[in-house]
Amino acid sequence: MKQWWYCLLVVLCALPLGAAEMPLNMTQGVTDISGQVYNLHMTILYICCAIGLVVFGIMIYSMIYHRKSKGAVAANFHESTKVEIAWTVIPFIILIAMAIPATKTLIAMEDPSNADLTIKITGSQWKWHYSYFDKNIEFYSTLSTPREQIDGDQTKGDNYLLEVDKPLVLPINRKVRFLMTSDDVIHSWWVPAFAVKKDANPGFINEAWTRIDKPGIYRGQCAELCGKDHGFMPIVVNALPEADFDNWLVEQKQLAETEAAAAAASMSQTLSLEDLNKQGEQVYLARCAACHQPNGAGLPGVFPSLIGSPIIKGAVEGHLDIVINGKPGTAMQAFAKQLSAQEIAAVITYERNAWGNNSGDAVQAADVGHFTSNDAATPQPTVAAQVTETATADVNHGTETVTDTANQAVEAVTKVVAPEDLPTLTMEQLMAEGEQVYAATCAACHQATGAGIPGAFPSLIGSPVVTGPVSGHIEMVMHGKPGTAMQAFSGQLSPQQMAAVITYERNAWGNNSGDAVQAADVARQGQ
């Protein structure tokens, strides 16, 4: 009989002892936290195996030695105080033993303080946007698996649906804090090797962190059912040694300069309809086909067809507006930051001439630049020309980033348009526009209620900046605050938009300052 007990003991213990080599078991990952999570998992597994061994051992022993055929007679008793105490105290002790290591691990997972690098991660249908705070680096990361593999026309690769055009690049041995939000629906950023899985909710900021121990490429995906192409939203992280990461930062700044120079040069290029259609088809398949389908037919009731669409058949300006600025309240995103002027021009040309639309329109990058300039500050054509010249001159003199170029371009517009020529709006108009700008640009950090997130983003309710001098408020919004998550919005918002959002913040949520900031006030301070 002892041999049977020994065999049973070996079988029950073999599972946890060999768990580290099992492909379906949780992996140890490449961070200290992921190691703690793995050890916690194994600890709980051992406890569960021990409980199973005791419970099933007693059950098997009872069935063998206390069966009816051996003449066993069941005892007749009830309300045993000893038994009641035993089955209450023993599980309580077991739960405490499990709760102590679990609590320690959870507390460590939720401590993003003293980070060396902060990255904002924004989910959208269906891509990730990464922004490196204080580094002036941001980019979109989209699925790069060829459409032929997805459609089954080619053999699937080793990293099928887990490959992107631009991976997130992180340094090893440095603490990285993630701030996660969303542009549209709920997403979830999940990289198993880091033990990081955090929801990205629209209008809110969630925090997580990691410190990677080993260089390499680590893959994950969106872990929240976020819509039609939920399965096509992978995450790829390239972890580099610290020196290599610093070199990568330098390369990205040089790349930004090159792209800015190319963007400026494209403004003077005129491409043929054939070249525009060829480039536009590539952009469309990579960026637009997920919703509107490769054949432009869309999905009835969900995504509109582009075949004979009023937007496609209408004025080019309307088509430019919806591609550049998107359409609030729908899945149509703004592509102003995702595509270059040349790519926007090409995809619009393609859409207006594909699938039998045959408009004959050939939209050029200059048209996009002219429309964007008008849309940002409503300048005359001469002003747009001066803005383009300013951006080009900045590039030729070695502008550090595309953001710097945009900031200087907006400042050029502000200087050309005299402050006294800017419109004066009523308090009601400023509050209405300011609320829209706040919801789109500021609420992700400071929350829709203005209450912020304690310890991460300050509250605007009774804030010293909001209740202090207007000039200080304008300065903060225009130029940001170095060393914090507060960005400079002079290159992202027009003077009127900044004036409106400042007015809204100074009068919403009970602040009630009565201040009505005008675009002219912002323009004068920017001079």
Side-chain angles (χ1 to χ4, degrees):
M1 185 63 196
K2 289 183 178 181
Q3 293 179 344
W4 285 101
W5 278 108
Y6 290 146
C7 291
L8 178 63
L9 182 64
V10 169
V11 170
L12 292 176
C13 292
L15 181 63
L17 292 176
E21 305 301 327
M22 292 183 178
L24 298 181
N25 188 35
M26 177 180 287
T27 59
Q28 296 188 40
V30 292
T31 68
D32 178 64
I33 288 296
S34 64
Q36 291 184 45
V37 172
Y38 174 81
N39 292 334
L40 175 63
H41 161 74
M42 295 307 298
T43 299
I44 302 303
L45 178 61
Y46 292 142
I47 292 175
C48 291
C49 289
I51 293 173
L53 177 63
V54 172
V55 172
F56 284 100
I58 294 175
M59 289 175 59
I60 294 171
Y61 176 84
S62 299
M63 286 186 291
I64 294 175
Y65 291 99
H66 296 278
R67 62 188 186 273
K68 184 178 180 180
S69 61
K70 294 194 67 172
V73 178
N76 185 12
F77 67 92
H78 61 88
E79 297 181 2
S80 172
T81 303
K82 293 181 180 180
V83 173
E84 295 282 354
I85 293 174
W87 71 33
T88 301
V89 172
I90 293 175
F92 178 77
I93 294 174
I94 293 173
L95 288 175
I96 292 298
M98 296 167 67
I100 292 174
T103 302
K104 290 181 178 179
T105 301
L106 287 172
I107 291 174
M109 292 175 70
E110 298 298 329
D111 180 22
S113 60
N114 301 319
D116 301 307
L117 176 67
T118 298
I119 297 176
K120 181 181 177 182
I121 301 175
T122 305
S124 59
Q125 295 176 310
W126 288 273
K127 60 181 75 71
W128 297 101
H129 180 221
Y130 300 115
S131 178
Y132 293 68
F133 281 7
D134 301 325
K135 304 297 183 184
N136 290 324
I137 295 174
E138 60 178 307
F139 56 85
Y140 286 83
S141 180
T142 59
L143 176 72
S144 63
T145 297
R147 174 58 60 176
E148 291 77 11
Q149 291 186 20
I150 297 174
D151 294 337
D153 298 330
Q154 287 184 1
T155 303
K156 293 176 173 55
D158 294 336
N159 296 314
Y160 175 70
L161 297 185
L162 290 174
E163 49 197 339
V164 298
D165 54 355
K166 292 183 179 180
L168 175 65
V169 180
L170 298 178
I172 64 171
N173 301 325
R174 292 182 188 174
K175 188 170 184 178
V176 182
R177 179 177 67 147
F178 302 117
L179 302 178
M180 301 179 187
T181 187
S182 170
D183 281 337
D184 36 51
V185 299
I186 299 176
H187 302 277
S188 185
W189 199 83
W190 176 44
V191 179
F194 302 163
V196 174
K197 180 181 179 291
K198 187 72 70 171
D199 283 354
N201 300 319
F204 295 89
I205 293 286
N206 284 331
E207 290 186 278
W209 70 275
T210 190
R211 189 195 305 271
I212 307 170
D213 298 329
K214 300 177 183 178
I217 296 178
Y218 307 104
R219 304 178 190 275
Q221 56 196 138
C222 177
E224 189 71 40
L225 189 59
C226 59
K228 167 184 166 289
D229 277 2
H230 158 69
F232 304 129
M233 196 171 172
I235 301 161
V236 178
V237 179
N238 185 11
L240 300 177
E242 295 177 85
D244 291 344
F245 176 76
D246 293 336
N247 292 334
W248 178 82
L249 291 177
V250 174
E251 292 173 359
Q252 292 306 299
K253 291 184 178 181
Q254 294 174 345
L255 179 61
E257 293 177 9
T258 302
E259 291 178 347
S266 70
M267 295 298 178
S268 60
Q269 292 179 345
T270 300
L271 301 183
S272 67
L273 181 59
E274 181 181 358
D275 290 338
L276 288 167
N277 276 324
K278 184 177 180 180
Q279 182 182 3
E281 183 177 15
Q282 295 175 347
V283 176
Y284 179 86
L285 292 175
R287 303 285 186 161
C288 314
C291 294
H292 296 291
Q293 305 303 295
N295 60 3
L299 291 176
V302 183
F303 304 111
S305 169
L306 300 182
I307 302 173
S309 161
I311 294 291
I312 303 295
K313 291 294 187 180
V316 173
E317 289 74 14
H319 201 166
L320 284 166
D321 180 59
I322 199 166
V323 173
I324 292 172
N325 301 316
K327 187 176 181 180
T330 72
M332 183 60 195
Q333 304 172 32
F335 284 91
K337 289 186 177 181
Q338 303 185 43
L339 301 175
S340 67
Q342 184 64 64
E343 289 173 323
I344 292 174
V347 76
I348 289 176
T349 299
Y350 175 73
E351 291 175 350
R352 297 181 76 85
N353 291 278
W355 319 301
N357 289 330
N358 301 333
S359 69
D361 296 328
V363 182
Q364 302 294 339
D367 300 323
V368 178
H370 179 69
F371 178 87
T372 303
S373 298
N374 285 341
D375 187 52
T378 321
Q380 298 299 319
T382 54
V383 175
Q386 294 180 31
V387 172
T388 303
E389 290 172 5
T390 301
T392 305
D394 288 337
V395 171
N396 293 336
H397 286 83
T399 309
E400 288 189 357
T401 62
V402 177
T403 303
D404 292 338
T405 302
N407 289 345
Q408 294 174 14
V410 171
E411 290 174 3
V413 172
T414 305
K415 291 177 181 179
V416 172
V417 180
E420 55 269 18
D421 294 336
L422 292 170
T424 299
L425 304 184
T426 65
M427 174 67 84
E428 183 179 355
Q429 291 172 322
L430 287 166
M431 290 294 289
E433 182 176 356
E435 183 175 13
Q436 295 177 348
V437 176
Y438 181 87
T441 309
C442 312
C445 294
H446 296 291
Q447 306 300 293
T449 60
I453 299 178
F457 303 105
S459 169
L460 299 182
I461 303 173
S463 160
V465 172
V466 174
T467 59
V470 173
S471 58
H473 200 164
I474 295 176
E475 174 70 18
M476 178 72 73
V477 173
M478 288 187 69
H479 301 120
K481 186 177 181 181
T484 72
M486 181 60 192
Q487 306 175 40
F489 286 94
S490 60
Q492 303 181 43
L493 302 175
S494 67
Q496 175 143 331
Q497 289 173 316
M498 286 188 280
V501 76
I502 290 171
T503 300
Y504 177 74
E505 291 174 350
R506 299 181 74 85
N507 291 278
W509 319 301
N511 289 330
N512 302 331
S513 69
D515 298 326
V517 183
Q518 300 295 338
D521 301 324
V522 177
R524 290 191 188 96
Q525 188 155 332
Q527 289 180 338

